[in-house]
Amino acid sequence: MNSSPKYVYVFGSQRTEGAADMKNLLGGKGANLAEMCRLGITVPAGFTISTEACTAFTERGRAAVLQMIQAEVLQGVAFVEAEMGKSFGNASDPLLLSVRSGARASMPGMMDTILNLGLNDEAVQGLAQKSNNERFAWDSYRRFVQMYGDVVMGLKPLSKEEHDPFEIIIETLKEKRGVKLDTELDAADLKELVQRFKALIRARLGCDFPTDPWEQLWGAVWAVFESWNNERACVYRELNDIPASWGTAVNVQAMVFGNLGNSSATGVAFSRDAGTGEDLFNGEFLVNAQGEDVVAGIRTPQQVSLVGSRRWAELALISEAERASQYPSLEELMPPIYQQLLKFETLLENHFRDMQDIEFTIQEGKLWMLQTRNGKRTGAAMVRIAMEMLKQGMIDEKTALQRVAPDRLNELLHPIFDPKAIKAATLIARGLPASPGAATGQIVFFADEAETWAKAGKAVILVRQETSPEDLRGMSVAKGILTARGGMTSHAAVVARGMGKCCVSGAGAVHVDLKAHAMTVGDMVYNEGDWISLNGSTGEVLEGKVATKDAELSGDFGDLMALADKYKRLEVRANADSPADALVAHNFGAHGIGLCRTEHMFFEGERILAVREMILADNEAERRKALAKLLPMQRDDFEGLFREMHDLPVTIRLLDPPLHEFLPQDDANQRVMAAEMHVPLGKIKMRVEELHEFNPMMGHRGCRLGISYPEITEMQTRAVIEAALNVRALGVHVKAEIMVPLVGTVREFNAQAEVIRRTAATVFAERGETLDYMLGTMIETPRAALIADSIGKQAEFFSFGTNDLTQMTLGFSRDDAGKFLPDYLKRGIYEHDPFRSIDQKGVGLLVQMAVEKGRSVRPGIEVGVCGEHGGDPASVAFFHRVGLDYVSCSPYRVPIARLAAAQAAIAG
Ligand code: ADP
Ligand code: MG
Ligand code: MG
């Protein structure tokens, strides 16, 4: 025995070397194929070449890896030969293989599968004789040459309108024969296709199609390894945070044939509904078909279960009689096979304790399983499946909480179409409800155009015949996706659900004309740029823009949130500036307001006039006169906030932005302002000039304003305290927290604290009553973090303003970072956008240090965070670990933060 490392792992009925927990080494597909064999499920025998071989391939190249794995691959093929009782390369009874890529995480951007490998002009005769089915043999060969020519040999369309040169040849032949479906082509037609395909390959690539099965096999293996670094795989990795170092495995497996006639079929199924989460087994299949025919959407697939089939027919407006005769379910068509599939599905779901997405093929009445994995699903389905599996006793509470990706809750929180608006809208067509949601946008027909338009700030709907992995980037920027072909398991449907993107698939009445950049439905023509709306929950395609309304949160959502609250330690507050925002936040379960930006109250209606009057004032007396006008308005706002939040804390930040933000910067608006306020235009222009700063982010803002103009701080403090007293009189337990922004030194804080305390005392004296309030500071300059112990002696709470802290610690202006940050991310200089997810090693260290320093002088000092990061799950986990008391985020992210906080607590 030699002790060289192992690269090949076999699976089959006699012996299986892999298992489900070996995904890092064998990829998801390979590990689960092995696991299914271990569970006694019928799987065609095969072997997996490990991801380590892929890594070696990337680093050391083909020749070196051939040396490493050749002997093991030969043994692997011999194992499959023994299991199947056929031999590879034997022309009279050939063993055919599939070559399938499979990374740790499922990646639609990777190499397409190659089926029927091992066929050549001799073997196809043998296959025909052995199966006694000439059409089948040539159909298999035709598919093989097509897939191999595209995927391994790299024959690509010459233009994007050409789409797929092989399909064009097929279409042309079908037209010539006067048939509609591929299945109507006979053996001679298919033979002609093979010859035409080979000629095309020779003409375009200048080489012959390989006839030697071993050459074919190695070519396919290298193509899989190379595909790990192809453009669309890289795009997918980028979109999904998958490291390039993982590599992909290669699965080589004996073929089974779904295209052997009417007792054969191929299909895809989900153990629960991937769109809604309902515990309903269903899927799609095609009789006498192979491989990805179902996904490609070339023929209308039939439904697996009877219940599913009836629902599908209802949506497609197909009568029960027509459904039963034209599109019977597998349950009706092949009852014993359906029962066995149901048994496997249940076994797998119970085994993996999660919703399974399975692929199967039926060869002449025998069921073979080809893949199982935890299925991709919408946010709504995540919630429902997790909560129902919990109730069914399949998983425990912690697992249920971990099953929902916090960010995906977004899909449940955002608006849906207003039913009234839908009724009024014109229906263009109906497709399948492939991925729920409401989308409105302008039509585009190409993925790259979707990107360009989206970059220009337009809302687009990507309309395609069907999508392919090349379209990923375009799909990710579109508001919604509409396809003319394809079922619930088509590429578009699966990817859209994974992205949480609204998608209507298989809208058969829609005819896409790529050359004209138009889609037609009957006599109606819709051009690029026209507005349409998609309802991904019903499959409706509507004309124009359709109005939306707020989502209704279902019972499972509420249960999940209650469960999250049970496990989380971090409190979640909201950033809210108006009573309306506060109401939304409260409904989403916010535990108070962590940041009220008082300046946001300054823009509404006539307030802006008073603010501008204050800014234009030449002296303190004039400024006070203007501030006196603002006082009652601010007080009203604060009363509203306190009332909405009942006895929960409300943190109010004193005026923060530089004053120039309140003045119009352009001539036209300056003229309007001059006329409105009856002041000379020159005075306004002069003030704008005076307020101009080279770097406003580090200019006259934050507590620096209150230091220069203490009367602003006085007015704001008075408004807070008077509002609190007024609302307390109504029986509310007000918890007001006044917060000083952008502090860098203790004296800065003390100067503002003196004004605040003095003003509060004045109000108490006037009113003859007092009230507890807290006086604290933001920690958002690096200096404040460094001296947090000195500041902590004075301030009663800290709130980390991680947006400013990130800007100043990294030295990146948030408003300018867009110019270079994309390059930084692409090159991995920063792994994540530091304004979205906290830079744990740098900025995070400052936070951690400031918390420790603060607690060292004031044990139990309240510490929270109120930057954008408060709603980012990875950042929330970090804030949990460094022991903050709360995070505060925008109202719509409150449920996301609550779940993220629970997951952080569970992770320990
Ligand atoms: P993907 O990762 O894109 O799903 P797969 O490797 O699962 O690609 O292959 C796609 C399809 O090809 C499968 O769903 C199955 O229908 C078909 N296929 C793959 N291997 C075999 C095989 N050994 N026998 C028959 N069909 C196969
Ligand atoms: Mg698959
Ligand atoms: Mg700030």
Side-chain angles (χ1 to χ4, degrees):
M1 288 291 300
N2 65 27
S3 60
S4 60
K6 183 172 171 64
Y7 293 104
V8 170
Y9 295 76
V10 300
F11 56 85
S13 63
Q14 298 302 311
R15 188 155 59 91
T16 294
E17 293 172 325
D21 60 6
M22 292 167 71
K23 292 203 170 62
N24 294 358
L25 192 63
L26 303 181
K29 198 179 288 167
N32 279 359
L33 281 168
E35 190 77 6
M36 284 199 286
C37 289
R38 288 177 184 273
L39 291 170
I41 289 171
T42 43
V43 172
F47 58 89
T48 305
I49 308 175
S50 78
T51 54
E52 287 174 352
C54 179
T55 311
F57 178 86
T58 310
E59 285 166 5
R60 313 223 296 267
R62 195 177 285 201
V65 174
L66 181 63
Q67 277 273 313
M68 283 163 43
I69 66 174
Q70 189 168 31
E72 282 186 79
V73 168
L74 292 182
Q75 284 167 15
V77 172
F79 169 84
V80 180
E81 288 176 334
E83 285 246 350
M84 304 305 288
K86 291 180 193 288
S87 55
F88 186 60
N90 177 322
S92 56
D93 184 14
L95 169 68
L96 300 187
L97 298 173
S98 74
V99 176
R100 319 169 63 187
S101 60
R104 247 190 247 188
S106 100
M107 277 185 46
M110 299 258 313
M111 190 201 80
D112 298 310
T113 296
I114 300 196
L115 301 179
N116 311 322
L117 186 141
L119 279 175
N120 53 32
D121 292 347
E122 289 79 51
V124 71
Q125 307 288 355
L127 188 66
Q129 254 163 32
K130 204 71 199 171
S131 62
N132 203 12
N133 188 334
E134 207 181 346
R135 187 191 181 280
F136 152 73
W138 284 99
D139 182 48
S140 303
Y141 195 18
R142 181 280 291 179
R143 290 166 184 275
F144 173 53
V145 177
Q146 184 172 352
M147 288 189 220
Y148 200 92
D150 168 16
V151 177
V152 180
M153 304 185 76
L155 189 121
K156 293 287 173 241
L158 295 176
S159 71
K160 64 184 177 182
E161 279 81 8
E162 190 186 52
H163 193 54
D164 181 340
F166 292 117
E167 287 297 332
I168 290 175
I169 295 179
I170 299 178
E171 288 308 313
T172 313
L173 186 74
K174 282 200 296 201
E175 248 165 60
K176 202 167 113 193
R177 294 279 177 277
V179 299
K180 272 197 168 148
L181 299 173
D182 294 10
T183 40
E184 294 170 277
L185 295 173
D186 64 21
D189 296 331
L190 295 164
K191 186 171 177 177
E192 186 175 334
L193 285 180
V194 169
Q195 277 149 5
R196 282 176 190 265
F197 287 177
K198 284 182 169 178
L200 179 77
I201 288 170
R202 203 174 303 117
R204 288 228 185 142
L205 301 176
C207 62
D208 280 320
F209 192 85
T211 52
D212 173 28
W214 283 99
E215 187 188 338
Q216 295 170 354
L217 179 57
W218 285 110
V221 171
W222 305 139
V224 174
F225 285 155
E226 266 158 14
S227 76
W228 178 251
N229 284 312
N230 73 21
E231 153 104 36
R232 47 189 231 222
C234 292
V235 169
Y236 187 83
R237 282 208 292 274
E238 193 182 303
L239 289 173
N240 292 278
D241 270 338
I242 295 174
S245 61
W246 282 4
T248 178
V250 185
N251 301 289
V252 178
Q253 190 179 23
M255 281 301 301
V256 288
F257 301 99
N259 54 339
L260 258 171
N262 286 337
S263 60
S264 300
T266 187
V268 182
F270 292 90
S271 65
R272 298 181 189 224
D273 191 298
T276 65
E278 183 183 354
D279 188 0
L280 171 73
F281 175 54
N282 192 27
E284 297 177 329
F285 73 102
L286 282 175
V287 173
N288 197 12
Q290 196 182 36
E292 310 252 65
D293 288 2
V294 176
V295 182
I298 294 156
R299 281 154 59 195
T300 306
Q302 290 157 245
Q303 306 292 301
V304 168
S305 67
L306 180 56
V307 180
S309 181
R310 291 204 163 125
R311 288 207 193 155
W312 164 83
E314 219 175 280
L315 274 173
L317 303 179
I318 291 174
S319 72
E320 173 59 14
E322 188 188 347
R323 183 202 67 77
S325 64
Q326 299 294 303
Y327 307 101
S329 64
L330 188 69
E331 192 171 354
E332 296 157 282
L333 200 63
M334 304 180 185
I337 294 280
Y338 173 80
Q339 289 308 325
Q340 200 183 357
L341 187 64
L342 191 64
K343 216 178 81 195
F344 286 161
E345 168 267 325
T346 313
L347 178 66
L348 288 168
E349 192 182 90
N350 287 334
H351 183 69
F352 289 106
R353 294 170 188 277
D354 200 354
M355 185 263 268
Q356 295 299 297
D357 167 354
I358 59 184
E359 297 174 6
F360 60 91
T361 282
I362 300 159
Q363 177 174 337
E364 298 189 302
K366 181 169 163 66
L367 175 65
W368 295 89
M369 298 290 278
L370 290 169
Q371 190 170 344
T372 191
R373 63 182 159 198
N374 296 339
K376 290 201 192 325
R377 65 203 77 172
T378 62
M382 277 184 189
V383 173
R384 180 160 176 187
I385 291 172
M387 296 318 285
E388 288 191 353
M389 285 195 164
L390 174 64
K391 281 179 214 142
Q392 292 163 349
M394 292 175 70
I395 55 175
D396 61 15
E397 290 181 346
K398 290 181 178 179
T399 309
L401 284 166
Q402 282 161 322
R403 282 284 167 81
V404 180
D407 266 326
R408 301 296 302 275
L409 291 177
N410 249 328
E411 296 160 36
L412 284 79
L413 308 179
H414 282 283
I416 52 175
F417 283 129
D418 185 342
K420 277 187 233 131
I422 290 193
K423 276 219 181 90
T426 310
L427 185 72
I428 298 176
R430 246 172 218 287
L432 297 169
S435 183
T440 292
Q442 293 176 273
I443 299 177
V444 293
F445 294 99
F446 296 100
D448 50 354
E449 267 155 35
E451 282 186 68
T452 333
W453 288 43
K455 268 204 195 109
K458 294 181 181 170
V460 298
I461 303 282
L462 180 63
V463 180
R464 302 285 292 162
Q465 189 74 2
E466 68 247 339
T467 65
S468 77
E470 263 98 349
D471 299 329
L472 270 180
R473 225 197 270 267
M475 294 172 75
S476 78
V477 298
K479 296 284 174 212
I481 297 144
L482 168 64
T483 71
R485 284 177 175 177
M488 295 293 284
T489 53
S490 67
H491 178 266
V494 172
V495 172
R497 281 198 295 273
M499 291 178 171
K501 187 134 299 189
C502 169
C503 176
V504 172
S505 70
V510 171
H511 178 78
V512 179
D513 184 344
L514 292 182
K515 287 212 182 85
H517 287 227
M519 74 176 205
T520 54
V521 184
D523 320 328
M524 294 298 295
V525 179
Y526 299 88
N527 292 304
E528 186 174 272
D530 286 351
W531 285 84
I532 55 169
S533 299
L534 304 179
N535 186 344
S537 312
T538 60
E540 289 158 313
V541 184
L542 305 158
E543 220 173 84
K545 300 184 198 180
V546 177
T548 55
K549 73 177 191 91
D550 284 343
E552 283 149 30
L553 301 174
S554 72
D556 285 326
F557 177 83
D559 292 348
L560 177 78
M561 284 293 114
L563 200 57
D565 290 343
K566 177 173 164 188
Y567 283 90
K568 77 178 173 23
R569 186 190 53 71
L570 272 177
E571 288 295 1
V572 177
R573 298 188 189 177
N575 299 347
D577 313 320
S578 67
D581 284 357
L583 178 65
V584 173
H586 197 257
N587 289 342
F588 281 139
H591 206 263
I593 292 176
L595 174 63
C596 165
R597 300 173 171 94
T598 48
E599 61 270 16
H600 284 190
M601 302 169 160
F602 282 2
F603 284 100
E604 264 171 51
E606 52 190 292
R607 299 162 186 217
I608 189 67
L609 295 180
V611 174
R612 288 171 174 174
E613 203 178 311
M614 172 192 78
I615 295 174
L616 290 180
D618 291 320
N619 52 48
E620 188 187 322
E622 275 185 36
R623 236 181 340 267
R624 284 189 182 277
K625 227 172 77 194
L627 285 166
K629 292 188 193 164
L630 279 171
L631 174 68
M633 305 183 214
Q634 283 247 288
R635 193 174 50 217
D636 273 2
D637 289 331
F638 294 147
E639 284 180 14
L641 290 182
F642 290 140
R643 268 201 307 269
E644 292 299 350
M645 280 295 143
H646 304 274
D647 42 8
L648 297 171
V650 175
T651 311
I652 293 164
R653 179 179 70 183
L654 299 178
L655 189 65
D656 184 55
L659 295 180
H660 73 79
E661 288 190 8
F662 300 100
L663 295 183
Q665 301 295 310
D666 60 305
D667 183 70
N669 281 308
Q670 286 169 354
R671 281 173 195 280
V672 173
M673 176 178 162
E676 258 177 359
M677 295 184 61
H678 309 291
V679 291
L681 181 62
K683 177 163 185 177
I684 295 175
K685 289 205 181 288
M686 202 169 74
R687 198 75 183 107
V688 167
E689 187 68 20
E690 282 164 7
L691 288 173
H692 173 79
E693 291 176 324
F694 289 104
N695 193 343
M697 174 192 71
M698 300 206 275
H700 199 182
R701 56 170 288 221
C703 64
R704 298 158 205 173
L705 290 170
I707 304 261
S708 302
Y709 312 114
E711 53 278 11
I712 299 178
T713 305
E714 275 176 34
M715 182 281 285
Q716 293 201 293
T717 305
R718 179 175 278 276
V720 172
I721 300 293
E722 288 182 355
L725 290 171
N726 293 348
V727 172
R728 187 177 64 177
L730 306 172
V732 177
H733 296 274
V734 178
K735 288 198 186 119
E737 304 185 352
I738 299 178
M739 179 157 83
V740 184
L742 217 71
V743 161
T745 78
V746 179
R747 286 187 189 161
E748 259 175 330
F749 178 76
N750 284 347
Q752 286 291 285
E754 190 275 323
V755 177
I756 294 163
R757 292 211 174 92
R758 177 164 44 78
T759 307
T762 308
V763 177
F764 294 152
E766 288 166 12
R767 305 270 298 233
E769 53 180 336
T770 65
L771 167 121
D772 285 336
Y773 66 96
M774 289 226 284
L775 173 49
T777 183
M778 307 261 311
I779 301 284
E780 55 183 339
T781 67
R783 192 175 195 281
L786 293 167
I787 60 157
D789 40 1
S790 311
I791 294 180
K793 286 192 189 128
Q794 312 297 328
E796 293 172 305
F797 66 85
F798 289 168
S799 173
F800 291 95
T802 49
N803 301 338
D804 270 311
L805 194 57
T806 298
Q807 297 199 86
M808 299 200 212
T809 303
L810 272 54
F812 289 0
S813 145
R814 184 157 60 144
D815 304 316
D816 298 316
K819 290 186 186 147
F820 56 87
L821 208 49
D823 294 339
Y824 271 45
L825 296 176
K826 205 176 274 164
R827 298 185 50 183
I829 294 176
Y830 275 90
E831 267 174 45
H832 306 283
D833 177 347
F835 292 106
R836 186 175 58 84
S837 196
I838 191 138
D839 160 39
Q840 300 189 8
K841 291 194 184 122
V843 179
L845 196 64
L846 283 175
V847 172
Q848 191 174 3
M849 192 186 72
V851 170
E852 282 161 18
K853 282 176 178 283
R855 293 213 170 118
S856 74
V857 294
R858 191 186 287 267
I861 184 175
E862 182 185 271
V863 286
V865 57
C866 63
E868 287 302 303
H869 302 96
D872 166 62
S875 307
V876 170
F878 175 78
F879 297 136
H880 170 88
R881 286 201 298 278
V882 301
L884 295 195
D885 296 307
Y886 70 86
V887 296
S888 187
C889 56
S890 72
Y892 276 97
R893 294 199 75 84
V894 166
I896 295 168
R898 284 162 76 194
L899 179 59
Q903 292 182 348
I906 290 169

